[in-house]
Amino acid sequence: MDFQQILAELVATQTDPHTRARQWKSANQGTVIAHLLPDVPEEIIHASGALPLAVTGVDRGTSLAESHIPSFICSLLRNPLEMALRRELDFIDGMVIPYVCDSTRAFSQVWEANFPDLFNHTLWLPKKVSGDSAKQFLFSEFMRLKKRLEVFLGREITDQSLRHAIGVYNQNRRLLRRLFALRKKGRIPLPYADYLSVVKASMTMPREDHNTLLARLLEGLKEECRPCEKEESVRVFLLGSLGEPHSVLTLFDELGMDVVDDHFYDGTRCFLQDVDEAVDPMEGLVSRQLSKAPLSGFHYQDDRWRQYLLDRVRDGQIEGVVYFPLMYCDPMEFDYPLIKGLLGEMGIPVLFLETDFHSGSLGQVRTRLEAFAEMLREKKDESLPC
Amino acid sequence: MKASRVEIQTLRLLKDINANHYEAAREAARQGRPVGYVSVFAPAELLLAMDIVSVYPENHAVFVQARKMTTEVVSPLERLGYQPGLCSYARCDMGSTFTGKSPVGGLPKPDFFLTTNAQCSTLTKWFERMSEHFGVPLFLIDVPFTGGKPDDQHCKVFVRSQIAELIGFLEEITGKSLDPENLSRVVEISNQTTRLWKEIIESAMHVPSPISVFDQFISMAPIVAQRGTMVALEFYQTLKAEIDDRVTRGIGVVDNEKYRLYWDSLPLWHELKWLSDLLVSFKACLVSTIYTLPWADFWLDPKDPVSSWVEQYVHYFDWHLDRRVELVVQLKEKYRLNGFIFHNDRSCKMFSTAIPEIRRIVQEKTGVAAYILEGDHGDPRFYSREQIEKGLTYYFEILRARG
Ligand code: SF4
Ligand code: SF4
């Protein structure tokens, strides 16, 4: 398979996200533990021998789900429910739902009421990310997931298997960081929409498989490596929960915006930090969780957002930010004035672009993005020495 | 015969009690007492025992809404980038604070913020922005939402250590250490008030009901904002006496009460009078609601209030689906309910996310039709009276047809 084929295969998981998991299940008589995003420690599931599978959704309406939850709940929750109600998730054995916001906390119970026969687990993520009490609590909470999985699967999750899983995932993160860095430096002609699909594919297939494919993809891309001509384009950063709908992502390239970085549940946030392999595996997972890039669902008592944004902007030579919350995402909406203010101090313009998984007509989105790109280009021209 | 409402006289006292509360807060701050902006499930007794002035932004938001100032204060807020889908308490309070347009004659400046996410996560985000605005610290009591699962010992450990940290935090702010005797005294008053509130809302078990849920909404302000004070205690003593008298004399809120209904979630603060009149025209009385219940269950162990708080945070405020269903089913028997209204409040996701599911299960379990009313607790731009009236007319037809 040449690298174009590998790329095509990885990108295809965008529209067909579950075939690989189904195949794995029937080939291995295995257990598939699905989870919603963000921040479920897949390593623990992997170490149990089950296949972790992140469920997001596909671009379509959610009429069935809306008879169980209101239509004003974000599509990160509406979409998986719709899929499950349409029996498209009939192959999963369990579902882990992280508690991040008011919607997720109530949603987990709606889920359990509808699918009582699954291994259902709500991950009680603390909202505080610093302090000993939060750290200790998170440790016990990860242990609770481990214990429940052990009981459900009837086998022990050993330190050895946890370490092995962490190794596989760190390897994956290293490869993803390489891909990310190559793109950021403008060395490979990989459109952002395709790039994100490659990243997301990691969550829908065994990581080992993704590692193999990704390594070969990187090999192939190396040959393509050359400085890309992108003088006309402006460098943007997408800050959101999910990079959906996918059809919007393709607009950026078309409109001369080079997405060099993102902050998505299933984007860079997943691979920027590794788990420290030198410490106790569970402690390593806890530390990683608490040191991740900030997220609106959590509460920071320090200036982590400011630091994070400064780093990302400097690192990616960012010229503009598109604030990209899913519709009805309260935490991100509450953070918008804060983040707009912080970016304002850095002289970075922001566009607020609320999206839904279901794209509908993109006319208006295109117009707004076009205007934003234009503005960024003008700003850039003004700053050039004549 | 046309039905009508028989008003409760004690409620007239509230105008002054509420106004005095805010005036007293301003005065106390002038005298140098520390001021905390706190959420309604903050440990009020602890704050009072430490001589801290508590201001409740949620209660403040209700006044913004009741004075019909929502649009006026929310529009400038939206220009700052806040979206109209956010909780309208948050929007009204922030809008009022940022624009300085106050329904209560102004609030004293805070020295700190305190909230718990046992109630909802919205409060954390709201208080984050507010505490940044004032440049003061925010203390969060972070409570994992356990849904009453048995394996939650570690949650209790987590909450207990945070309460210890909170006491330290408050001692630093006040420069004094907590006096346990003071705390016991406040807890004693608070417990008496809680007991009275429980009796008051339970008096609605009588047929006809001497008090409606609308009356409960109006009369809850003191137990929310002044729990642990003599003002609140005395108000509920007076209210209780009047309610008892109404029971003895068989006076109901609604003449010829025919339907006894449950109300789920927040009030429509803009429509208390309109909605209550509308329901009266159907001879319906709202007799029970989840919204005012927590204050009936705030009882604290005088010997060990910290353990009571831990228990309440981890197991009581987390209104998870099963518990809400169980509660509604029990209330049906207890209050002889023959209908349910679920307010699908678009600006409170904590309450609303599970509402369609809860309604489905409640209908299954009770065999009684339940109605979903689409509304917003504080922003009248997002619902229509017409729609509500049409929906309720239809609902009462169903109830009538089913006998
Ligand atoms: S996208 Fe926002 S609303 Fe949806 S689950 Fe995440 S934090 Fe909650
Ligand atoms: S109305 Fe709902 S979202 Fe708003 S503060 Fe109250 S519980 Fe939280």
Side-chain angles (χ1 to χ4, degrees):
Chain A
M1 233 190 327
D2 74 1
F3 90 94
Q4 290 293 0
Q5 269 174 304
I6 296 178
L7 181 61
E9 190 178 327
L10 289 168
V11 168
T13 56
Q14 176 67 34
T15 41
D16 176 20
H18 301 145
T19 300
R20 282 219 168 222
R22 278 181 192 275
Q23 283 167 350
W24 177 89
K25 186 182 168 94
S26 57
N28 297 281
Q29 304 297 311
T31 306
V32 177
I33 302 289
H35 66 88
L36 299 189
L37 296 169
D39 289 5
V40 171
E42 281 201 356
E43 290 90 334
I44 301 176
I45 301 171
H46 183 286
S48 77
L51 177 71
L53 169 72
V55 176
T56 50
V58 288
D59 182 349
R60 65 154 172 241
T62 48
S63 53
L64 293 185
E66 282 165 41
S67 59
H68 296 267
I69 53 174
S71 54
F72 51 77
I73 301 304
C74 80
S75 43
L76 182 93
L77 306 175
R78 255 186 300 129
N79 252 279
L81 182 59
E82 181 74 16
M83 292 190 128
L85 292 168
R86 291 188 190 208
R87 301 187 192 288
E88 290 164 14
L89 297 178
D90 54 4
F91 63 100
I92 66 171
D93 302 282
M95 175 59 97
V96 182
I97 298 178
Y99 160 36
V100 217
C101 61
D102 291 340
S103 301
T104 42
R105 86 182 206 178
F107 179 81
S108 62
Q109 293 146 34
V110 174
W111 177 275
E112 284 179 30
N114 281 282
F115 309 103
D117 299 333
L118 294 177
F119 167 83
N120 288 313
H121 187 90
T122 305
L123 188 68
W124 304 323
L125 291 171
K127 298 295 151 328
K128 283 182 172 169
V129 291
S130 42
D132 284 347
S133 52
K135 197 169 178 175
Q136 273 164 24
F137 171 72
L138 185 60
F139 183 88
S140 312
E141 184 51 16
F142 279 179
M143 288 301 278
R144 189 177 67 94
L145 172 62
K146 173 174 173 276
K147 277 183 217 137
R148 285 205 61 218
L149 277 170
E150 286 174 334
V151 173
F152 176 65
L153 294 166
R155 56 180 174 255
E156 196 194 339
I157 299 176
T158 60
D159 268 11
Q160 200 192 353
S161 59
L162 264 176
R163 282 186 198 283
H164 174 71
I166 288 171
V168 171
Y169 275 75
N170 276 350
Q171 163 76 357
N172 192 246
R173 291 187 273 253
R174 272 193 295 277
L175 292 168
L176 286 170
R177 283 201 298 273
R178 255 173 63 199
L179 181 69
F180 169 70
L182 283 175
R183 264 203 88 249
K184 192 162 66 172
K185 287 188 196 130
R187 306 290 291 279
I188 45 170
L190 181 61
Y192 176 72
D194 288 349
Y195 154 81
L196 191 66
S197 300
V198 171
V199 178
K200 288 167 63 174
S202 69
M203 302 176 184
T204 56
M205 62 176 70
R207 284 287 158 147
E208 291 84 346
D209 294 0
H210 195 258
N211 280 346
T212 311
L213 291 171
L214 193 53
R216 288 170 57 195
L217 180 72
L218 281 161
E219 271 309 296
L221 282 169
K222 217 158 70 186
E223 278 153 37
E224 299 283 300
C225 216
R226 59 172 185 273
C228 310
E229 299 292 327
K230 286 185 179 174
E231 272 144 36
E232 277 302 291
S233 70
V234 280
R235 297 170 71 83
V236 298
F237 175 69
L238 305 188
L239 211 167
S241 27
L242 284 188
E244 298 290 349
H246 196 70
S247 47
V248 172
L249 302 183
T250 54
L251 283 180
F252 286 93
D253 268 336
E254 265 178 54
L255 298 174
M257 280 190 272
D258 189 12
V259 181
V260 285
D261 198 352
D262 67 46
H263 175 279
F264 289 133
Y265 290 175
D266 50 3
T268 51
R269 193 161 194 280
C270 299
F271 59 74
L272 284 183
Q273 289 97 342
D274 282 341
V275 178
D276 184 352
E277 294 184 44
V279 299
D280 169 81
M282 215 43 120
E283 271 174 25
L285 288 169
V286 167
S287 302
R288 173 171 189 269
Q289 171 63 24
L290 296 178
S291 63
K292 272 184 172 178
L295 202 68
S296 297
F298 297 109
H299 169 62
Y300 300 95
Q301 286 152 306
D302 47 21
D303 63 348
R304 203 181 294 195
W305 268 115
R306 178 191 301 274
Q307 215 38 61
Y308 171 74
L309 292 172
L310 265 175
D311 288 350
R312 304 316 290 165
V313 164
R314 197 180 305 135
D315 218 47
Q317 294 156 291
I318 300 300
E319 295 163 283
V321 170
V322 180
Y323 198 78
F324 211 76
L326 284 178
M327 218 170 266
Y328 315 118
C329 174
D330 287 358
M332 279 203 70
E333 289 184 3
F334 266 113
D335 274 356
Y336 176 59
L338 168 78
I339 285 169
K340 192 171 79 160
L342 291 171
L343 288 167
E345 289 170 20
M346 301 172 203
I348 304 293
V350 195
L351 174 73
F352 183 90
L353 190 76
E354 223 176 12
T355 59
D356 191 271
F357 227 119
H358 188 32
S359 48
S361 150
L362 288 181
Q364 232 206 339
V365 173
R366 173 187 278 274
T367 313
R368 296 189 58 209
L369 279 177
E370 226 160 6
F372 188 61
E374 197 46 48
M375 189 267 277
L376 291 179
R377 263 192 294 270
E378 274 169 25
K379 188 163 176 273
K380 187 176 187 157
D381 286 347
E382 277 165 24
S383 65
L384 284 178
C386 3
Chain B
M1 188 173 53
K2 197 179 175 311
S4 64
R5 272 175 60 88
V6 188
E7 310 282 341
I8 299 172
Q9 297 307 310
T10 308
L11 300 187
R12 291 164 187 253
L13 300 175
L14 283 165
K15 196 163 172 255
D16 285 345
I17 291 181
N18 293 330
N20 292 345
H21 167 61
Y22 284 100
E23 177 47 36
R26 284 188 294 268
E27 179 52 33
R30 277 195 289 271
Q31 290 170 11
R33 276 170 64 192
V35 177
Y37 280 17
V38 310
S39 64
V40 297
F41 292 156
E45 298 78 3
L46 179 65
L47 298 158
L48 202 54
M50 297 185 80
D51 209 24
I52 289 167
V53 181
S54 296
V55 169
Y56 291 81
E58 291 153 273
N59 179 254
H60 180 237
V62 171
F63 286 107
V64 175
Q65 294 167 356
R67 301 275 154 80
K68 308 222 187 300
M69 290 171 65
T70 298
T71 323
E72 187 186 346
V73 301
V74 149
S75 309
L77 191 77
E78 285 169 4
R79 284 197 290 276
L80 296 176
Y82 289 93
Q83 301 299 308
L86 295 171
C87 164
S88 51
Y89 276 171
R91 284 183 292 124
C92 286
D93 174 57
M94 289 198 284
S96 163
T97 307
F98 295 169
T99 58
K101 291 181 179 153
S102 171
V104 295
L107 296 178
K109 293 236 159 8
D111 295 293
F112 70 94
F113 280 76
L114 166 62
T115 186
T116 166
N117 53 16
Q119 177 184 348
C120 73
S121 340
T122 294
L123 274 157
T124 312
K125 305 308 292 180
W126 162 10
F127 281 17
E128 279 176 4
R129 296 299 83 82
M130 290 276 282
S131 62
E132 285 152 15
H133 171 80
F134 286 107
V136 297
L138 158 61
F139 192 100
L140 166 68
I141 306 174
D142 188 7
V143 181
F145 187 67
T146 73
K149 292 274 176 3
D151 49 354
D152 64 0
Q153 268 314 313
H154 59 309
C155 303
K156 293 192 189 170
V157 172
F158 183 31
V159 172
R160 186 176 287 278
S161 52
Q162 292 179 80
I163 293 178
E165 288 161 24
L166 171 65
I167 294 174
F169 169 82
L170 296 176
E171 288 179 334
E172 211 160 288
I173 284 184
T174 57
K176 282 185 279 192
S177 37
L178 170 66
D179 175 355
E181 263 175 45
N182 254 357
L183 182 59
S184 304
R185 198 175 36 80
V186 177
V187 164
E188 179 53 34
I189 300 173
S190 177
N191 279 346
Q192 284 182 44
T193 316
T194 299
R195 208 167 307 127
L196 277 168
W197 180 248
K198 192 177 175 72
E199 288 165 11
I200 289 166
I201 64 178
E202 287 186 345
S203 66
M205 286 193 278
H206 290 279
V207 182
S209 177
I211 180 170
S212 76
V213 163
F214 294 105
D215 302 319
Q216 294 182 28
F217 288 154
I218 296 167
S219 58
M220 72 194 283
I223 201 162
V224 170
Q226 303 187 65
R227 189 168 71 258
T229 67
M230 288 309 291
V231 175
L233 179 63
E234 282 162 11
F235 169 73
Y236 293 109
Q237 283 165 340
T238 315
L239 180 60
K240 173 79 176 24
E242 186 182 351
I243 301 284
D244 285 350
D245 178 58
R246 284 164 75 99
V247 172
T248 321
R249 298 203 282 148
I251 301 176
V253 178
V254 178
D255 255 358
N256 294 309
E257 170 194 290
K258 181 159 181 232
Y259 297 106
R260 298 170 56 81
L261 308 178
Y262 166 78
W263 176 272
D264 198 277
S265 179
L266 287 98
L268 289 167
W269 286 113
H270 277 84
E271 311 295 352
L272 292 185
K273 168 123 184 33
W274 173 79
L275 188 58
S276 144
D277 287 347
L278 179 65
L279 289 170
V280 166
S281 75
F282 292 109
K283 300 192 176 118
C285 185
L286 297 185
V287 295
S288 177
T289 178
I290 187 175
Y291 192 65
T292 57
L293 265 187
W295 288 272
D297 288 318
F298 265 136
W299 187 85
L300 301 171
D301 181 349
K303 291 201 196 65
D304 184 10
V306 171
S307 294
S308 302
W309 283 317
V310 172
E311 198 56 38
Q312 287 173 0
Y313 284 132
V314 179
H315 281 161
Y316 186 80
F317 299 132
D318 62 334
W319 284 111
H320 56 103
L321 186 144
D322 293 346
R323 246 185 89 213
R324 278 171 72 180
V325 168
E326 198 184 309
L327 174 81
V328 177
V329 173
Q330 276 171 9
L331 291 176
K332 175 180 179 283
E333 294 311 310
K334 190 166 164 184
Y335 288 86
R336 289 182 254 185
L337 303 171
N338 45 16
F340 309 99
I341 301 177
F342 286 92
H343 174 198
N344 198 25
D345 182 347
R346 63 178 284 294
S347 79
C348 178
K349 298 197 173 62
M350 185 283 287
F351 257 121
S352 301
T353 304
I355 274 190
E357 198 68 32
I358 292 174
R359 179 242 212 165
R360 180 181 68 78
I361 305 175
V362 164
Q363 290 192 141
E364 263 170 35
K365 290 201 175 209
T366 63
V368 177
Y371 177 64
I372 290 196
L373 183 150
E374 308 287 347
D376 187 298
H377 61 273
D379 196 331
R381 293 175 298 175
F382 297 115
Y383 59 82
S384 93
R385 281 188 177 184
E386 244 171 52
Q387 211 105 47
I388 292 175
E389 187 163 350
K390 238 169 60 194
L392 282 174
T393 307
Y394 179 62
Y395 179 55
F396 284 108
E397 268 166 28
I398 293 177
L399 290 185
R400 199 165 19 236
R402 294 200 184 167

